[in-house]
Amino acid sequence: MQKNTNTDEIIDKLCLIDELLLTEKNENLNKNSDLHLKVYNLMTELVNENNKLNNSLDELMELKNRYSNFYHHSPIGYLILNKKGKIKEVNKTGAAMLGFDPENVINENFIQFIKDDFKIKFNEASLKSFDTNEIQYCKIELIGKKPIYANIQIKPLFTANENFKEFEIIINDLTEIKNFEIELETKNENLNKKMEARIQELLKINLKLEKKIEDNKLTDKKLRAIKEREQRRSEEFARVLDAVPAAVWISHDNKGYLITGNQLSYDYLNIPPGANASKSLPPGDRPETFKIVKDGIDLKAGEMPIQKSSAGHEIRNFEFDIVYKDNKMRHMMGNATPLYDENRNPNGSVSVFIDITHHKIAEMKMEALVKDLERSNRELEQFAYITSHDLKEPLRMISSFTQLLEKRYKGKIDQDADEFIGFIVDGAQRMQRLLDDLLEYARLTTADTKYEKIQMVDVVDESINNLKIAIDESDAEIKSDQLPMIFINRTEMVQLFQNLIGNSIKFQSKKTPKIHISVEDKGNKYVFSVKDNGIGIDPEYQKKIFKMFHRLHTIDEYDGTGIGLSITKKIVENHKGFIWVKSEVGKGSTFFFSIPKND
């Protein structure tokens, strides 16, 4: 990396100055001892400050890479919507939930990925979030390449002046849980139908039995046969319930005083099979191996789903916790349906609940990941700004001391010392440019950018004017086609054209630089191009050149920090576009970048 080269150069020059001072003649050492001591002390301070600077740069890059990996590979979808609901930013997980790559959903209206039945619900939640300045939640269905049922968190973001800026959207995929709920509801409905049919069958049998006893005065033998047959049917019904992969509780009265269930229900309550599971019984008679808790509060008997359903209330998708004596818990979800007598009066209920503990734990982990992602984002922004100021101070000291050395001691030691001091001054200046570029890149990442409609020809003219000295020195010829008016940030776009035109002038052999700027209307976007007749770029490096600190030439061949094209790429991404290059070695390069059209 370039920063290591700068450090090595400074250290080498310090060593040479030290050697020079040590080999002076004795009379010169005695005569100029104070002078030499000052020089040596200044060199030591330069090395220490440079080491601090390198350590801070390494920490910044490591944290940035770690945050980027965490952000894009989190199981949570993360999006930023502008005021019009268009997607400004999305991580890879969020884009995958919409069924596309990130670059294919940028600047698209998020509402188009929501199923029509849920659009009003999402808009109402967004409006409420904006009005109350509070996080809102809603459950919707996304229509990407495959439908996704998701829990959406909507958070309004504001500028420092409390002006609304954008929405932060967090998507939690609930498709598996939703499918499970549908499957449970279907099984529950089928079970209820079977049970209702069986109950009606039993009632008919019972009526026939009573009529037969009354009319025919059946013998004891016939009665025992009927009872045995009914007993077998009851046992068959019990086996059916035990085969159901859910806890089934049956209340036998409208108060829920007698509650029995299948084998799984007794296992969940940790009581013997056949025992009365009712919490409506007096203390001492009711089971004490568990408590029924909802949202951290112990439920009273009348608040429990089985007892409420026994009184005639239909219960759907009710969630509660079974808490055991050792404080372990099981999270349950299900339905409870009332049973009625011949006069349609409630006289019991049938409840079916499933264990969703694993799903609940997964949901809590996802919520924790969301909070950790938000915290990491805030820490990264704070670290970037703090580090910017911390890096400025040691570099300022390096520049000050090297200028002091040059001012006080140039021409007072010998020609080699003057040359070494010049090397140090040059290294400090290049380090200053490197830091300035790094800070500019950080500002592009964290700054609140203002966009407005601007004539691109004015932007290009300003960029050319900023490069006037380089253009005059190289006799560069710059031509531009007619350019449109588009919605951009002027400062960033001037810097973009300034970087591309500057590179076209800098990376030349001995030819006069010829640069042509053009644009092509692609319907929903403009594609700009900057073409030159420079030295060209090998296809092997045409993607790598946009990476931070990536240089194809030494500092002696072409000056620079290796950050310019990274800044250019970031500016284009801030405008929701893309940048790429086509080039052949020795035949020049053409840099293309797209800018979406905005109303």
Side-chain angles (χ1 to χ4, degrees), residues 434-502:
L434 175 64
L435 182 55
D436 288 342
D437 284 348
L438 278 174
L439 294 180
E440 184 60 36
Y441 188 86
R443 292 189 190 99
L444 290 173
T445 304
T446 59
D448 184 14
T449 306
K450 177 183 178 182
Y451 294 88
E452 56 186 334
K453 270 207 166 183
I454 295 176
Q455 286 285 357
M456 287 296 284
V457 65
D458 295 337
V459 171
V460 172
D461 287 344
E462 184 175 343
S463 302
I464 293 173
N465 187 60
N466 293 342
L467 295 168
K468 187 176 186 306
I469 295 176
I471 293 172
D472 291 343
E473 290 178 350
S474 62
D475 292 326
E477 299 177 8
I478 302 176
K479 295 182 179 180
S480 175
D481 294 346
Q482 185 174 355
L483 303 178
M485 173 183 283
I486 60 174
F487 197 69
I488 57 171
N489 176 270
R490 183 185 183 99
T491 302
E492 290 185 3
M493 200 55 61
V494 168
Q495 184 175 9
L496 183 150
F497 274 103
Q498 191 169 316
N499 285 358
L500 293 180
I501 296 172

Coordinates of all heavy atoms in Angstrom, one line a residue, residues 434-502:
L434 N -2.8 12.2 0.3 CA -3.4 10.9 0.6 C -4.5 11.0 1.6 O -5.6 10.5 1.5 CB -2.4 9.9 1.0 CG -2.9 8.5 1.5 CD1 -3.6 7.8 0.3 CD2 -1.8 7.7 2.0
L435 N -4.2 11.8 2.7 CA -5.2 12.0 3.8 C -6.3 12.8 3.3 O -7.5 12.5 3.6 CB -4.5 12.6 5.0 CG -5.4 12.9 6.2 CD1 -6.0 11.6 6.7 CD2 -4.6 13.5 7.3
D436 N -6.1 13.8 2.5 CA -7.2 14.6 2.0 C -8.1 13.8 1.2 O -9.4 13.9 1.3 CB -6.6 15.8 1.1 CG -5.9 16.9 2.0 OD1 -6.2 16.9 3.2 OD2 -5.2 17.6 1.4
D437 N -7.6 12.9 0.3 CA -8.4 12.0 -0.5 C -9.2 11.1 0.4 O -10.4 10.8 0.2 CB -7.6 11.2 -1.5 CG -7.2 12.1 -2.6 OD1 -7.7 13.2 -2.8 OD2 -6.3 11.6 -3.4
L438 N -8.6 10.5 1.5 CA -9.3 9.6 2.4 C -10.4 10.4 3.1 O -11.5 9.8 3.2 CB -8.3 9.1 3.5 CG -7.5 7.9 3.0 CD1 -6.5 7.6 4.1 CD2 -8.3 6.7 2.8
L439 N -10.2 11.6 3.5 CA -11.2 12.4 4.2 C -12.4 12.7 3.2 O -13.5 12.7 3.6 CB -10.7 13.6 4.8 CG -9.6 13.4 5.9 CD1 -9.1 14.8 6.4 CD2 -10.3 12.7 7.1
E440 N -12.0 13.0 2.0 CA -13.1 13.2 1.0 C -13.9 12.0 0.8 O -15.1 12.1 0.6 CB -12.4 13.7 -0.3 CG -13.4 14.1 -1.4 CD -14.3 15.3 -1.0 OE1 -13.7 16.1 -0.2 OE2 -15.5 15.2 -1.3
Y441 N -13.3 10.8 0.7 CA -14.0 9.6 0.5 C -14.9 9.4 1.7 O -16.1 8.9 1.6 CB -13.1 8.4 0.4 CG -13.7 7.1 0.0 CD1 -14.0 6.8 -1.3 CD2 -14.1 6.2 1.0 CE1 -14.6 5.6 -1.6 CE2 -14.8 5.0 0.7 CZ -15.0 4.8 -0.7 OH -15.6 3.6 -1.0
A442 N -14.5 9.6 3.0 CA -15.3 9.5 4.2 C -16.5 10.4 4.1 O -17.6 10.0 4.5 CB -14.4 9.7 5.4
R443 N -16.3 11.7 3.7 CA -17.4 12.6 3.6 C -18.4 12.1 2.6 O -19.6 12.3 2.8 CB -16.9 14.0 3.2 CG -16.0 14.7 4.2 CD -15.7 16.1 3.8 NE -14.7 16.7 4.7 CZ -13.4 16.8 4.4 NH1 -13.0 16.4 3.2 NH2 -12.5 17.3 5.2
L444 N -18.0 11.5 1.5 CA -19.0 11.0 0.5 C -19.8 9.9 1.1 O -20.9 9.7 0.7 CB -18.2 10.5 -0.7 CG -17.5 11.5 -1.6 CD1 -16.7 10.8 -2.7 CD2 -18.6 12.4 -2.3
T445 N -19.2 9.2 2.1 CA -20.0 8.1 2.7 C -21.0 8.5 3.7 O -22.0 8.0 3.9 CB -19.0 7.1 3.3 OG1 -18.0 6.7 2.3 CG2 -19.7 5.9 3.9
T446 N -20.6 9.6 4.5 CA -21.4 10.0 5.6 C -22.2 11.3 5.5 O -23.1 11.6 6.2 CB -20.5 10.1 6.9 OG1 -19.5 11.1 6.6 CG2 -19.9 8.8 7.2
A447 N -21.8 12.1 4.5 CA -22.4 13.5 4.4 C -23.9 13.4 3.9 O -24.3 12.5 3.3 CB -21.6 14.3 3.4
D448 N -24.6 14.5 4.4 CA -26.0 14.7 4.0 C -26.0 15.5 2.7 O -25.7 16.7 2.7 CB -26.8 15.4 5.1 CG -28.2 15.6 4.7 OD1 -28.7 14.9 3.7 OD2 -28.9 16.3 5.4
T449 N -26.2 14.8 1.5 CA -25.9 15.4 0.2 C -27.2 16.1 -0.3 O -28.3 15.5 -0.2 CB -25.5 14.3 -0.8 OG1 -24.4 13.6 -0.3 CG2 -25.1 14.9 -2.1
K450 N -27.0 17.3 -0.9 CA -28.1 18.1 -1.5 C -28.1 17.9 -3.0 O -27.0 18.0 -3.6 CB -27.9 19.5 -1.1 CG -29.0 20.4 -1.8 CD -28.7 21.9 -1.5 CE -29.7 22.8 -2.1 NZ -29.5 24.2 -1.9
Y451 N -29.2 17.6 -3.6 CA -29.3 17.3 -5.0 C -30.3 18.4 -5.6 O -31.2 18.8 -5.0 CB -29.9 15.9 -5.3 CG -29.0 14.8 -4.9 CD1 -29.0 14.3 -3.6 CD2 -28.1 14.3 -5.7 CE1 -28.2 13.3 -3.2 CE2 -27.2 13.3 -5.4 CZ -27.3 12.8 -4.1 OH -26.5 11.8 -3.7
E452 N -29.9 18.8 -6.9 CA -30.7 19.8 -7.6 C -30.6 19.6 -9.1 O -29.6 19.0 -9.5 CB -30.3 21.2 -7.1 CG -28.8 21.5 -7.3 CD -28.5 22.8 -6.7 OE1 -29.3 23.7 -6.6 OE2 -27.3 23.0 -6.4
K453 N -31.5 20.2 -9.8 CA -31.4 20.1 -11.3 C -30.3 21.1 -11.8 O -30.4 22.3 -11.5 CB -32.7 20.3 -11.9 CG -33.6 19.1 -12.1 CD -34.5 19.2 -13.3 CE -35.1 17.8 -13.6 NZ -36.0 17.9 -14.8
I454 N -29.4 20.6 -12.5 CA -28.2 21.4 -13.0 C -27.9 21.1 -14.4 O -27.9 19.9 -14.8 CB -27.0 21.2 -12.1 CG1 -27.3 21.7 -10.6 CG2 -25.8 21.9 -12.6 CD1 -26.2 21.5 -9.7
Q455 N -27.5 22.1 -15.2 CA -27.0 21.8 -16.6 C -25.6 21.2 -16.5 O -24.7 21.7 -15.9 CB -26.9 23.2 -17.3 CG -28.2 23.7 -17.8 CD -28.8 23.0 -19.0 OE1 -28.2 22.1 -19.5 NE2 -30.0 23.4 -19.4
M456 N -25.5 20.0 -17.1 CA -24.2 19.3 -17.0 C -23.1 20.0 -17.7 O -21.9 19.9 -17.4 CB -24.3 17.9 -17.5 CG -25.1 17.0 -16.6 SD -24.3 16.7 -15.1 CE -23.0 15.5 -15.6
V457 N -23.4 20.8 -18.7 CA -22.4 21.6 -19.4 C -21.7 22.6 -18.5 O -20.5 22.8 -18.6 CB -23.0 22.3 -20.6 CG1 -24.0 23.4 -20.2 CG2 -21.9 23.0 -21.5
D458 N -22.5 23.1 -17.5 CA -21.9 24.0 -16.5 C -20.9 23.3 -15.6 O -19.9 23.8 -15.2 CB -23.0 24.7 -15.7 CG -23.8 25.6 -16.5 OD1 -23.4 26.1 -17.6 OD2 -25.0 25.9 -16.1
V459 N -21.3 22.0 -15.3 CA -20.4 21.2 -14.4 C -19.1 20.9 -15.1 O -18.0 21.0 -14.5 CB -21.2 19.9 -14.0 CG1 -20.2 18.9 -13.4 CG2 -22.4 20.2 -13.2
V460 N -19.2 20.5 -16.4 CA -18.0 20.2 -17.2 C -17.1 21.5 -17.3 O -15.9 21.4 -17.1 CB -18.4 19.6 -18.5 CG1 -17.1 19.5 -19.4 CG2 -19.1 18.3 -18.4
D461 N -17.7 22.6 -17.6 CA -17.0 23.9 -17.7 C -16.2 24.2 -16.4 O -15.1 24.6 -16.4 CB -17.9 25.0 -18.1 CG -18.4 24.9 -19.5 OD1 -17.8 24.2 -20.3 OD2 -19.4 25.6 -19.9
E462 N -16.9 24.0 -15.3 CA -16.2 24.3 -14.0 C -15.1 23.3 -13.8 O -14.0 23.7 -13.3 CB -17.2 24.2 -12.9 CG -16.7 24.5 -11.5 CD -17.7 24.5 -10.4 OE1 -18.9 24.6 -10.7 OE2 -17.3 24.5 -9.2
S463 N -15.2 22.1 -14.1 CA -14.2 21.1 -14.0 C -13.0 21.5 -14.8 O -11.8 21.4 -14.4 CB -14.7 19.7 -14.3 OG -15.8 19.3 -13.6
I464 N -13.2 21.9 -16.1 CA -12.1 22.3 -17.0 C -11.4 23.5 -16.4 O -10.2 23.6 -16.5 CB -12.7 22.5 -18.4 CG1 -13.2 21.2 -19.0 CG2 -11.7 23.2 -19.3 CD1 -13.9 21.3 -20.3
N465 N -12.2 24.4 -15.9 CA -11.6 25.7 -15.4 C -10.7 25.3 -14.2 O -9.6 25.9 -14.0 CB -12.7 26.6 -14.9 CG -12.1 28.0 -14.5 OD1 -11.5 28.7 -15.3 ND2 -12.4 28.3 -13.3
N466 N -11.1 24.4 -13.3 CA -10.2 23.9 -12.2 C -8.9 23.3 -12.7 O -8.0 23.3 -11.9 CB -11.0 23.0 -11.3 CG -12.2 23.6 -10.6 OD1 -12.3 24.9 -10.5 ND2 -13.1 22.8 -10.1
L467 N -8.9 22.7 -13.8 CA -7.8 22.0 -14.4 C -7.0 22.9 -15.4 O -6.2 22.4 -16.2 CB -8.2 20.7 -15.1 CG -8.8 19.7 -14.1 CD1 -9.4 18.5 -15.0 CD2 -7.7 19.1 -13.2
K468 N -7.2 24.2 -15.4 CA -6.7 25.1 -16.4 C -5.2 25.0 -16.5 O -4.6 24.9 -17.6 CB -7.1 26.5 -16.1 CG -6.7 27.5 -17.3 CD -7.3 28.9 -17.0 CE -7.0 29.8 -18.2 NZ -5.6 29.9 -18.6
I469 N -4.5 25.0 -15.4 CA -3.0 24.9 -15.4 C -2.5 23.7 -16.1 O -1.7 23.7 -17.0 CB -2.4 25.0 -14.0 CG1 -2.8 26.4 -13.4 CG2 -0.9 24.8 -14.0 CD1 -2.3 26.6 -12.0
A470 N -3.1 22.5 -15.7 CA -2.7 21.2 -16.3 C -3.0 21.2 -17.8 O -2.3 20.6 -18.6 CB -3.3 20.1 -15.6
I471 N -4.2 21.7 -18.2 CA -4.6 21.7 -19.6 C -3.6 22.6 -20.4 O -3.2 22.2 -21.5 CB -6.0 22.3 -19.7 CG1 -7.0 21.2 -19.0 CG2 -6.4 22.5 -21.1 CD1 -8.4 21.7 -18.9
D472 N -3.3 23.8 -19.9 CA -2.4 24.7 -20.6 C -1.0 24.1 -20.7 O -0.3 24.2 -21.8 CB -2.3 26.0 -19.9 CG -3.6 26.8 -20.0 OD1 -4.4 26.5 -20.8 OD2 -3.8 27.7 -19.2
E473 N -0.5 23.4 -19.7 CA 0.8 22.8 -19.7 C 0.9 21.7 -20.7 O 2.0 21.4 -21.3 CB 1.2 22.4 -18.3 CG 1.5 23.5 -17.3 CD 1.9 23.0 -16.0 OE1 1.7 21.8 -15.7 OE2 2.3 23.8 -15.1
S474 N -0.2 20.9 -20.8 CA -0.1 19.7 -21.7 C -0.7 20.0 -23.1 O -0.7 19.1 -24.0 CB -0.9 18.6 -21.1 OG -2.3 19.0 -20.9
D475 N -1.2 21.3 -23.3 CA -1.9 21.6 -24.6 C -3.1 20.6 -24.9 O -3.3 20.3 -26.1 CB -0.9 21.6 -25.8 CG 0.1 22.7 -25.7 OD1 -0.3 23.8 -25.1 OD2 1.3 22.5 -26.1
A476 N -3.8 20.2 -23.9 CA -4.8 19.2 -24.0 C -6.0 19.8 -24.8 O -6.3 21.0 -24.7 CB -5.3 18.8 -22.7
E477 N -6.6 19.0 -25.7 CA -7.8 19.3 -26.5 C -9.0 18.6 -25.9 O -9.0 17.4 -25.8 CB -7.6 18.9 -27.9 CG -6.4 19.6 -28.6 CD -6.2 19.1 -30.0 OE1 -7.1 18.4 -30.5 OE2 -5.2 19.5 -30.6
I478 N -10.0 19.4 -25.4 CA -11.2 18.8 -24.8 C -12.4 19.3 -25.6 O -12.6 20.5 -25.8 CB -11.3 19.3 -23.3 CG1 -10.0 18.9 -22.6 CG2 -12.5 18.7 -22.7 CD1 -10.0 19.4 -21.1
K479 N -13.2 18.3 -26.0 CA -14.4 18.5 -26.7 C -15.6 17.9 -25.9 O -15.4 16.9 -25.3 CB -14.4 18.0 -28.1 CG -13.3 18.6 -29.0 CD -13.4 18.0 -30.4 CE -12.3 18.7 -31.3 NZ -12.4 18.1 -32.7
S480 N -16.7 18.6 -26.0 CA -17.9 18.1 -25.3 C -19.1 18.2 -26.2 O -19.4 19.2 -26.8 CB -18.1 18.8 -24.0 OG -19.3 18.4 -23.4
D481 N -20.0 17.1 -26.2 CA -21.2 17.1 -26.9 C -22.2 17.9 -26.1 O -22.0 18.3 -25.0 CB -21.8 15.7 -27.1 CG -20.9 14.9 -28.1 OD1 -20.0 15.5 -28.8 OD2 -21.0 13.7 -28.1
Q482 N -23.4 18.1 -26.7 CA -24.5 18.8 -25.9 C -24.9 17.9 -24.8 O -25.2 16.7 -25.0 CB -25.7 19.1 -26.8 CG -26.8 19.9 -26.2 CD -27.9 20.3 -27.2 OE1 -27.7 20.1 -28.3 NE2 -28.9 20.9 -26.6
L483 N -24.9 18.5 -23.6 CA -25.2 17.7 -22.3 C -26.6 18.1 -21.7 O -27.0 19.3 -21.8 CB -24.1 17.9 -21.3 CG -22.7 17.5 -21.8 CD1 -21.7 17.8 -20.7 CD2 -22.6 16.0 -22.2
P484 N -27.3 17.2 -21.1 CA -28.6 17.5 -20.5 C -28.6 18.2 -19.2 O -27.5 18.3 -18.5 CB -29.2 16.1 -20.4 CG -28.0 15.2 -20.1 CD -26.9 15.8 -20.9
M485 N -29.7 18.6 -18.7 CA -29.9 19.0 -17.3 C -30.5 17.9 -16.5 O -31.5 17.3 -16.9 CB -30.9 20.2 -17.3 CG -31.3 20.7 -15.9 SD -32.5 22.0 -15.8 CE -31.5 23.4 -16.3
I486 N -29.8 17.5 -15.4 CA -30.2 16.4 -14.6 C -30.1 16.7 -13.1 O -29.6 17.7 -12.7 CB -29.3 15.1 -14.9 CG1 -27.8 15.4 -14.6 CG2 -29.5 14.6 -16.3 CD1 -26.9 14.2 -14.7
F487 N -30.7 15.8 -12.3 CA -30.8 16.0 -10.9 C -29.6 15.4 -10.2 O -29.4 14.2 -10.2 CB -32.1 15.3 -10.4 CG -32.5 15.7 -9.0 CD1 -33.0 17.0 -8.8 CD2 -32.4 14.8 -8.0 CE1 -33.5 17.4 -7.6 CE2 -32.9 15.2 -6.7 CZ -33.4 16.5 -6.5
I488 N -28.6 16.3 -9.7 CA -27.3 15.8 -9.2 C -26.9 16.7 -8.0 O -27.5 17.7 -7.7 CB -26.3 15.9 -10.3 CG1 -26.1 17.3 -10.8 CG2 -26.5 14.8 -11.4 CD1 -25.0 17.5 -11.7
N489 N -25.8 16.3 -7.4 CA -25.1 17.2 -6.4 C -24.0 17.8 -7.2 O -23.1 17.1 -7.7 CB -24.6 16.4 -5.3 CG -23.7 17.2 -4.3 OD1 -22.5 17.4 -4.5 ND2 -24.4 17.8 -3.4
R490 N -24.0 19.1 -7.3 CA -23.1 19.8 -8.2 C -21.6 19.6 -7.8 O -20.7 19.3 -8.6 CB -23.4 21.3 -8.2 CG -22.5 22.1 -9.2 CD -22.7 23.6 -9.1 NE -21.9 24.3 -10.0 CZ -22.3 24.8 -11.2 NH1 -23.6 24.6 -11.6 NH2 -21.5 25.4 -12.0
T491 N -21.3 19.8 -6.5 CA -20.0 19.7 -6.0 C -19.4 18.3 -6.3 O -18.2 18.2 -6.8 CB -19.9 19.9 -4.5 OG1 -20.4 21.2 -4.2 CG2 -18.5 19.8 -4.0
E492 N -20.1 17.2 -6.0 CA -19.6 15.9 -6.3 C -19.4 15.6 -7.8 O -18.4 15.0 -8.2 CB -20.6 14.8 -5.7 CG -20.7 14.8 -4.2 CD -21.6 13.7 -3.7 OE1 -22.1 12.9 -4.5 OE2 -21.7 13.6 -2.5
M493 N -20.4 16.1 -8.6 CA -20.2 15.9 -10.1 C -19.1 16.6 -10.7 O -18.4 16.2 -11.6 CB -21.6 16.2 -10.8 CG -21.7 15.6 -12.1 SD -21.6 13.8 -12.1 CE -22.9 13.3 -11.0
V494 N -18.8 17.9 -10.2 CA -17.6 18.6 -10.6 C -16.3 17.8 -10.3 O -15.4 17.7 -11.1 CB -17.6 20.0 -10.0 CG1 -16.2 20.6 -10.2 CG2 -18.6 20.9 -10.5
Q495 N -16.3 17.2 -9.1 CA -15.1 16.5 -8.7 C -15.0 15.2 -9.6 O -13.9 14.8 -9.9 CB -15.3 16.0 -7.2 CG -14.0 15.3 -6.7 CD -14.1 15.0 -5.2 OE1 -15.2 15.2 -4.6 NE2 -13.1 14.5 -4.7
L496 N -16.1 14.6 -9.9 CA -16.1 13.4 -10.8 C -15.4 13.7 -12.1 O -14.5 13.0 -12.5 CB -17.5 12.9 -10.9 CG -17.7 11.6 -11.7 CD1 -18.9 10.8 -11.2 CD2 -17.8 11.8 -13.2
F497 N -16.0 14.7 -12.8 CA -15.4 15.1 -14.1 C -13.9 15.6 -14.0 O -13.1 15.3 -14.8 CB -16.2 16.2 -14.8 CG -17.4 15.6 -15.6 CD1 -18.7 15.6 -15.0 CD2 -17.2 15.0 -16.8 CE1 -19.8 15.1 -15.7 CE2 -18.3 14.5 -17.5 CZ -19.6 14.5 -17.0
Q498 N -13.6 16.3 -12.9 CA -12.3 16.7 -12.7 C -11.3 15.6 -12.5 O -10.2 15.6 -13.1 CB -12.3 17.6 -11.4 CG -11.0 18.4 -11.2 CD -11.1 19.4 -10.1 OE1 -12.1 20.1 -10.1 NE2 -10.1 19.5 -9.3
N499 N -11.7 14.5 -11.8 CA -10.9 13.3 -11.6 C -10.7 12.6 -13.0 O -9.5 12.2 -13.3 CB -11.5 12.4 -10.6 CG -11.3 12.8 -9.2 OD1 -10.7 13.9 -9.0 ND2 -11.9 12.1 -8.3
L500 N -11.8 12.4 -13.7 CA -11.6 11.7 -15.0 C -10.8 12.5 -16.0 O -10.0 11.9 -16.7 CB -13.0 11.4 -15.5 CG -13.9 10.4 -14.7 CD1 -15.2 10.2 -15.4 CD2 -13.2 9.0 -14.6
I501 N -11.1 13.8 -16.2 CA -10.4 14.6 -17.1 C -8.9 14.7 -16.7 O -8.0 14.6 -17.5 CB -11.0 16.0 -17.3 CG1 -12.4 15.8 -17.9 CG2 -10.1 16.9 -18.2 CD1 -13.2 17.1 -17.9
G502 N -8.7 14.9 -15.4 CA -7.3 15.0 -14.9 C -6.5 13.7 -15.2 O -5.3 13.8 -15.5

